[in-house]
């Protein structure tokens, strides 16, 4: 319900339900098989605004005796990944930026001498979610494959029950005003990620394996006697050069080879063959074609021992019983597989994950989350305003949660930097400069709760491993983890600007500014503000600012009278 410029009279005597929703999701990715760096960056910006009754400029008369429900909801989500499968140098960068804002007002009068009245029930809600997920993997098996990933998420919400701009405004509320602003950088996540990991490393409850195969760029020359000793018959290597890859349907990053020696003593490399089904080893003809210990890569879904593991192939080995001579297939773990992972997580934090690979691949991940929630029961601009208020409930909840994971391979470094900042501001009645006259006759509840959490996990040096839908195990590089969490909470019952204000409390005013520590459901429901893993010299920073005020005024000859109850808490 809206009026343009002019002296408008707008009334709601029934049910007025106004909602606005904006939902924007951007995804992107870049992947190369035998090339250098890839960049995948994306941005998602979304805004929603909702107003119950908008008078516009002019001397408006706005009233509601019924039920007015106003809600603005915004979700901005950005997901990006970048990876290379095999190269000599590969520097991959993925970046995701999300920015979500939501604004909601119940009754609004712009500039002018406005009269605003709520004699019914006024409920105003603004909710925003800014979510960013970024994943980068340097060349999966290369000499130098750096992975760099960044996620930047912002969520801002503003909710106001009754609002007017500059002017001599008169506000009365004998009904109920209920205002909530929430902002978050975590969301329920459903997505699919492509990751490289060792077969058998299915979940983080299993111990990470040592790879069965050495990664090489070219196949060693087995005509050389020293190489025959280094790679005796049965040795497996994973070769990543373009000439080596003969089964791209199994892995685009490389092919596994097994060293063999024939009856004449000649050594050679034999690729692990790809099959679309496991041959029937009860058939004597098939037995004759496969020897004890032979490995195949089966691309059929039926070959998966665990149907939930969506691998491009599953490795199986021929086993001949020494007593009975019976042939059978047994799954052979520890080789590299390419897996599509369906991720379904509740309240998953904004995340940056960077996996450096190769002999000196660095992993560099940065994640930042900012949330701001501001809620006000009544807000008026400059002027000689008059307010008569009944029950007012105001809540501002801001949550900023972000994670980073970084892996550096062999001599590569791992760096994970995480910063979160949550700001919550809640005011029952807020007035600009002027000779304001305010009487609170009802129950006023004002609450500001910011919650911030930062987690940085790095894998480098000392064989440290981290889990990101697959184990990443670091080498001898240098780990650097940093986590910073900031909290700002401000809660005020009645706040007036400069001037000769007259403020009377005949009811109750309860004000609470209480920063809160989030629960990490992914890590044993632990409660913490900032935490790191994998770096014994990590940097942790936690800052918290909290202020609560029952009644406050600016400069001037003010009169403040309390005939009721004022309880103020700042933690």
């Amino acid at each position: 319900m809206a009026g343009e410029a002019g002296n408008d009279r707008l009334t709601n005597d029934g049910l007025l339900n106004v909602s606005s929703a904006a939902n924007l999701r951007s995804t992107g990715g870049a992947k190369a098989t035998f090339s250098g760096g890839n960049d995948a960056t994306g941005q998602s910006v979304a805004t929603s605004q909702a107003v119950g009754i908008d008078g516009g400029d002019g001397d408006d008369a706005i009233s509601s005796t019924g039920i007015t429900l106003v809600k603005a909801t915004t979700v901005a989500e950005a997901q990006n990944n970048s990876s290379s499968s095999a190269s000599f140098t590969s520097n991959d960068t993925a970046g995701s930026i999300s920015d979500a804002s939501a604004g909601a007002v119940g009754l609004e009068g712009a500039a002018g001498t406005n009269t605003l009245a709520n004699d019914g029930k006024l409920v105003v809600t603004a909710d925003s979610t800014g979510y960013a997920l970024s994943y980068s993997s340097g060349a999966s098996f290369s000499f130098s494959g750096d992975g760099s990933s960044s996620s930047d998420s912002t969520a801002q919400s503003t909710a106001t029950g009754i609002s007017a701009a500059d002017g001599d405004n008169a506000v009365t509320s004998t009904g109920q005003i209920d205002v909530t602003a929430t902002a978050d950088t975590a969301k329920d996540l459903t997505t699919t990620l492509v990751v490289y990991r060792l077969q058998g490393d299915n979940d983080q409850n299993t111990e990470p394996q040592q790879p069965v195969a050495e990664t090489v760029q070219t196949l060693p020359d087995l005509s050389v006697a020293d190489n025959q000793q280094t790679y005796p018959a049965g040795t497996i290597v994973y070769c990543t050069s373009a000439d080596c890859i003969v089964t791209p349907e199994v892995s685009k990053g490389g092919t596994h080879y097994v060293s063999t020696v024939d009856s004449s003593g000649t050594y050679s490399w034999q690729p692990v063959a790809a099959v679309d089904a496991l041959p029937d080893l009860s058939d004597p003809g098939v037995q004759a074609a496969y020897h004890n210990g032979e490995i195949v890569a089966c691309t059929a879904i039926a070959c998966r021992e665990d149907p939930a593991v969506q691998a491009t192939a599953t490795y199986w080995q021929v086993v001949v019983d020494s007593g009975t001579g019976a042939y059978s297939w047994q799954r052979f773990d520890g080789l590299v597989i390419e897996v599509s992972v369906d991720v379904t997580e509740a309240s998953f934090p904004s995340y940056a994950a960077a996996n450096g690979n190769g002999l000196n691949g660095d992993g560099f991940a940065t994640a930042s989350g900012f949330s701001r929630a501001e809620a006000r029961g009544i807000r008026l601009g400059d002027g000689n305003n008059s307010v008569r208020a009944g029950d007012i409930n105001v809540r501002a909840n801001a949550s900023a949660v972000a994670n980073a994971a970084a892996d550096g391979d062999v001599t590569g470094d791992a760096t994970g930097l995480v910063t979160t900042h949550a700001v919550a501001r809640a005011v029952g009645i807020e007035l600009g400069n002027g000779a304001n006259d305010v009487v609170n006759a009802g129950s006023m509840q004002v609450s500001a709760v910011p919650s911030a959490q930062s987690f940085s996990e790095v894998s480098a040096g000392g064989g440290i491993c981290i889990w990101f839908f697959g184990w990443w195990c670091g080498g001898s590089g240098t780990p650097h983890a940093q986590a910073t969490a900031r909290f700002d909470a401000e809660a005020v019952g009645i706040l007036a600007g400069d001037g000769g204000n007259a403020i009377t409390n005949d009811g109750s005013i309860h004000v609470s500014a209480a920063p809160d520590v989030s629960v990490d459901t992914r890590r044993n429901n632990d409660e913490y503000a900032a935490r790191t893993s994998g770096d014994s010299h990590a940097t942790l920073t936690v800052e918290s600012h909290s202020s609560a005020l029952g009644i406050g005024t600016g400069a001037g000859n003010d009169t403040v009278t309390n005939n009721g109850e004022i309880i103020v808490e700042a933690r």
Side-chain angles (χ1 to χ4, degrees), residues 217-424:
Q217 295 297 318
T218 58
L219 290 172
D221 184 358
L222 290 182
S223 66
V224 178
D226 287 345
N227 286 339
Q228 294 174 9
Q229 293 181 356
T230 304
Y231 303 97
T235 302
I236 306 172
V237 298
Y238 185 74
C239 186
T240 60
S241 68
D243 293 338
C244 282
I245 298 180
V246 295
T247 55
E249 68 273 28
V250 173
S251 173
K252 300 179 182 66
T255 296
H256 290 95
Y257 284 78
V258 181
S259 66
T260 63
V261 58
D262 62 19
S263 57
S264 67
T266 301
Y267 282 77
S268 64
W269 290 107
Q270 296 298 321
V272 172
V275 297
D276 56 12
L278 288 177
D280 182 4
L281 289 178
S282 65
D283 185 335
V286 174
Q287 294 177 7
Y290 288 88
H291 62 80
N292 186 29
E294 185 167 352
I295 301 169
V296 299
C298 182
T299 59
I301 295 177
C303 287
R304 299 173 184 168
E305 189 170 77
D306 183 353
V309 179
Q310 302 178 54
T312 53
T314 307
Y315 294 97
W316 293 83
Q317 185 179 43
V318 177
V319 175
V320 180
D321 187 277
S322 58
T324 65
Y327 281 69
S328 64
W329 290 108
Q330 289 188 11
R331 201 179 80 165
F332 190 84
D333 291 342
L335 300 182
V336 179
I337 57 174
E338 182 180 318
V339 184
S340 295
V341 181
D342 293 329
V343 180
T344 301
E345 296 273 355
S347 192
F348 198 72
S350 288
Y351 220 115
N355 182 17
N357 284 293
L359 298 181
N360 63 342
D362 297 333
F364 188 87
T366 62
S368 66
F370 175 77
S371 66
R372 179 181 178 87
E374 186 166 8
R376 297 165 297 203
I378 299 171
R379 181 182 184 275
L380 306 177
D382 295 342
N384 300 322
N385 299 296
S386 172
V387 178
R388 299 294 182 266
D391 293 345
I392 299 177
N393 295 320
V394 179
R395 293 172 295 274
N397 299 317
S399 176
V401 183
N403 285 196
D407 169 62
D409 272 8
V410 189
T411 62
D413 299 333
T415 301
L417 310 177
V418 184
T419 301
T420 55
H421 189 187
V423 180

Side-chain angles (χ1 to χ4, degrees), residues 432-436 496-502 553-559:
N433 299 325
N436 299 294
D498 297 341
N501 299 291
T553 63
N557 299 319
D558 303 311
T559 301

Side-chain angles (χ1 to χ4, degrees), residues 103-124:
V105 180
L107 311 181
E108 182 169 30
T113 302
N114 301 292
T115 301
L116 302 103
N118 171 51
D119 297 319
K121 184 176 183 179
L122 178 59
V123 180
V124 181

Side-chain angles (χ1 to χ4, degrees), residues 457-499:
E457 188 174 31
V458 294
S459 166
I464 295 173
C465 297
I466 61 177
W467 176 266
F468 185 77
F469 306 104
W471 284 112
W472 296 352
C473 297
S476 61
T478 301
H480 176 50
Q482 179 177 307
T484 300
R486 294 186 174 89
F487 305 76
D488 285 298
E490 180 187 1
V492 182
I494 301 174
L495 182 63
D498 297 341

